[in-house]
């Protein structure tokens, strides 16, 4: 019998898995995709918000403010880059200056430290590329930036190392309360018998709750589109720059990434499908229009990629967190829209308290390890360190991704690590191979060859992101021999 089964390998599920892995428990995490961080946690603004935005009294406000300061220790332990660069909400007219005052008041009520409204001169000094139309800004020094999928993968690696069984490609298709107590969680491959289920299924948490016969709530996907720019322009802004917020969104921001790029976005539009992450021309026009209000001279020629993410908006418009009153042992964590990433550490603490209240005994393990094996990020090393690494292991001397300077050694390590990469996207999220200016045009075939070799599979079996996304159709010579296009279909 498992103690806790977690449904969903996003940042919330993985952070809870890691936290529980410090106790003497049997924990399983089931994820429907071929990797963790495949849902909302892979495509968002990556901001650890200060916490002035959410309405006082909501879970969103409370858990954001509690979660923010916990990031320093988590990132230090897992060696995940986190930069507390601060954020600025920019007012362009008198009305918006009033909004800043409201936000500052709200922030103080929420318990956000060190908020300050700065004047135009100071703002331009801090951010020389910002529009001269700006009047003032709310400065929140505690806001930070992170890479959300690197964080999620690091959490999962650590949970894995500490004994959590992470089952990928395992969609939950049924949950039932068992007559003798406990719950059974069904995936196509097996039935997991468990004392507790934690529903951290993101956009699908409402469906999982319904499947278990627990509380009924609904989740609407709200799409946000983005454009990301070449690293050459990464210093166009120094902090996270927000416009004055609207009723439904924090607005289109201009924001540096921890990896040295910058992005603009997101917009905010409700969509029908929970997998609609398409980027539209209309969406691009909307975010460019929005971002230009803050930074008029955007280097649009140097956009390297577009992407979209879906917010999981609940009908309560707040996080839905709590033990089910209907199904014993079932715990909901639904509607984790923004600031869910910022709040994740505090959500985790809250869920652990709920588990305790529900009768789970938590005994610390003596051999818990808070870290994960070191990653040799070649491009960040100085020349001496590079030489030493290559001397120890010559595969680090072979650069596979030229744009991001990712070596064969790093790709092999990504495949062999705990919860190793099994697809092109999984390698990309772990190493950045394919994230640069050419977007994998040069390195993808090489990464595919390394994956095939390391996994002992045929190159035709290498996928982009799991079964059904095979990258190759056939061998060129067979293709010619069998008559070309027609027979290749
Ligand atoms: C446009 C946008 C911008 C955002 N910006 C920020 C920000 O700057 N700061 C911030 O704090 N937050 C932000 N957020 C919110 C943040 O991204 C989310 O709160 C967070 O990622 C939610 O994590 P999660 O683990 O709940 O969900 P997810 O990451 O979606 O994880 C849920 C997982 O469950 C899996 N799953 C679903 N159904 C099943 C099933 N049946 N069986 C097994 N597994 C299943 C999914 O595949 C997925 O991996 C933003 C969100 C969006 C969309």
């Amino acid at each position: 019998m498992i103690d806790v089964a977690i449904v969903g390998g996003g940042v919330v599920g993985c952070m809870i898995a890691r936290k529980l892995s410090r106790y003497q428990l049997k924990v399983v995490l089931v994820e429907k995709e071929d990797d963790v961080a495949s849902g909302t946690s892979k495509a968002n603004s990556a901001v650890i918000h200060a916490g002035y935005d959410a309405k006082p009294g909501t879970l969103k406000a409370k858990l954001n403010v509690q979660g923010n300061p916990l990031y320093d220790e988590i990132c230090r332990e897992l060696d995940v880059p986190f930069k507390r660069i601060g954020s600025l909400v920019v007012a362009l007219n008198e009305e918006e200056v009033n909004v800043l005052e409201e936000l500052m008041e709200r922030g103080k009520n929420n318990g956000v430290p060190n908020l300050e409204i700065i004047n135009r001169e100071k703002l331009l000094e801090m951010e020389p590329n910002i529009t001269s139309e700006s009047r003032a800004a709310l400065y929140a020094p505690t806001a930070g930036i992170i890479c959300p999928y690197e964080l999620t993968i690091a959490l999962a690696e650590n949970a894995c190392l500490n004994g959590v069984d992470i089952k990928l490609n395992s969609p939950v298709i049924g949950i039932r309360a068992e007559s003798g107590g406990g719950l059974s969680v069904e995936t196509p491959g097996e039935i997991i018998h468990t004392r507790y289920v934690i529903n951290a299924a993101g956009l699908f948490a409402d469906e999982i709750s319904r499947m278990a016969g627990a509380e009924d709530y609904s989740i609407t996907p709200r799409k946000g589109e983005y454009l990301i720019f070449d690293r050459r322009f990464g210093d166009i802004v120094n902090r996270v720059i927000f416009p004055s917020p609207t009723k439904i969104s924090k607005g289109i921001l201009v924001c540096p990434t921890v990896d040295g790029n910058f992005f603009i976005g997101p917009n905010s539009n409700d969509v029908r499908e929970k997998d609609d992450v398409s980027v539209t021309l209309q969406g691009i026009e909307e975010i460019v229009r929005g971002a230009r209000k803050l930074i008029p001279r955007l280097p649009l020629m140097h956009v390297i990629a577009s992407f979209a993410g879906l917010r999981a908006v609940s009908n309560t418009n707040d996080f839905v967190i709590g033990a089910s009153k209907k199904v014993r042992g079932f715990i909901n964590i639904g509607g984790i829209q923004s600031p869910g990433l910022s709040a994740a550490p505090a959500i985790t603490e809250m869920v652990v308290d709920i588990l305790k209240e529900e009768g789970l005994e938590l005994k610390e393990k003596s051999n818990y390890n808070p870290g994960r094996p070191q990653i040799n990020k070649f491009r960040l090393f100085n020349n001496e360190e590079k030489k030493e690494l290559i001397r120890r292991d010559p595969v680090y001397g072979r650069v596979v991704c030229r744009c991001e300077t990712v070596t064969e050694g790093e790709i092999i390590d990504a495949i062999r690590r705990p919860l190793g990469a099994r697809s092109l996207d999984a390698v990309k999220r772990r190493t950045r191979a394919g994230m640069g200016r050419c977007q994998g045009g040069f390195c993808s075939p090489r990464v595919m060859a390394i994956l095939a070799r390391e996994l002992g599979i045929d190159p035709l079996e290498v996928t982009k992101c799991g079964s059904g996304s095979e990258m190759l159709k056939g061998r060129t010579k067979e293709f010619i021999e069998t008559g070309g296009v027609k027979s290749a279909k």
Side-chain angles (χ1 to χ4, degrees), residues 8 12 31-32 40-41 44-45 47 172 226 311 336 339-342:
V12 173
E31 165 54 51
K32 72 177 165 75
T40 306
S41 300
N44 55 52
S45 302
V47 176
V172 171
Y226 294 90
R311 304 166 181 89
I336 310 299
L341 172 66
S342 318

Side-chain angles (χ1 to χ4, degrees), residues 358-377:
E358 293 296 299
L360 182 68
E361 200 186 340
L362 300 174
K363 276 199 213 137
E364 299 256 358
K365 274 180 194 162
S366 56
N367 58 348
Y368 170 72
N369 173 0
R372 60 175 181 151
Q374 191 199 327
I375 298 178
N376 294 310
K377 292 184 181 170

Side-chain angles (χ1 to χ4, degrees), residues 7-14 30-33 35-49 64 170-173 200-205 208 211 222-226 250 266-267 308-312 319 333 336-343:
V7 184
V11 68
V12 173
C14 291
V30 275
E31 165 54 51
K32 72 177 165 75
E33 303 297 334
D35 196 8
V36 295
S38 292
T40 306
S41 300
K42 100 175 152 190
N44 55 52
S45 302
V47 176
I48 302 306
H49 293 288
N64 182 165
S170 300
V172 171
I173 50 174
L203 288 154
F204 299 87
I208 296 286
M211 195 185 274
R222 186 172 290 162
K223 187 166 32 173
E225 293 156 282
Y226 294 90
K250 297 181 191 73
N267 51 359
L310 297 170
R311 304 166 181 89
F319 298 160
I333 315 177
I336 310 299
Q337 57 167 305
S338 190
L341 172 66
S342 318

Side-chain angles (χ1 to χ4, degrees), residues 2-3 18 26 56 62 68 88 112 123 126 145 156 174 208 219 275 281 315 333 351 356 383 401 428 473 478 480:
I2 296 299
D3 292 304
R18 175 185 189 236
K26 279 192 188 150
K62 182 176 128 186
N68 173 306
L88 291 161
V112 181
L123 172 62
M126 288 165 87
I145 53 172
I208 296 286
I219 289 177
D275 59 356
L281 182 58
N315 53 339
I333 315 177
V351 169
K356 274 194 233 160
N383 279 348
C401 169
K428 182 171 162 179
K473 277 269 179 227
E478 285 166 16
I480 295 164

Side-chain angles (χ1 to χ4, degrees), residues 53 67 80 107 232 286 290 314 321 361 391 400 430:
D53 189 64
V80 166
R232 210 152 26 119
E286 193 184 342
S314 77
I321 305 177
E361 200 186 340
R391 193 191 58 74
V400 174
R430 283 163 180 75

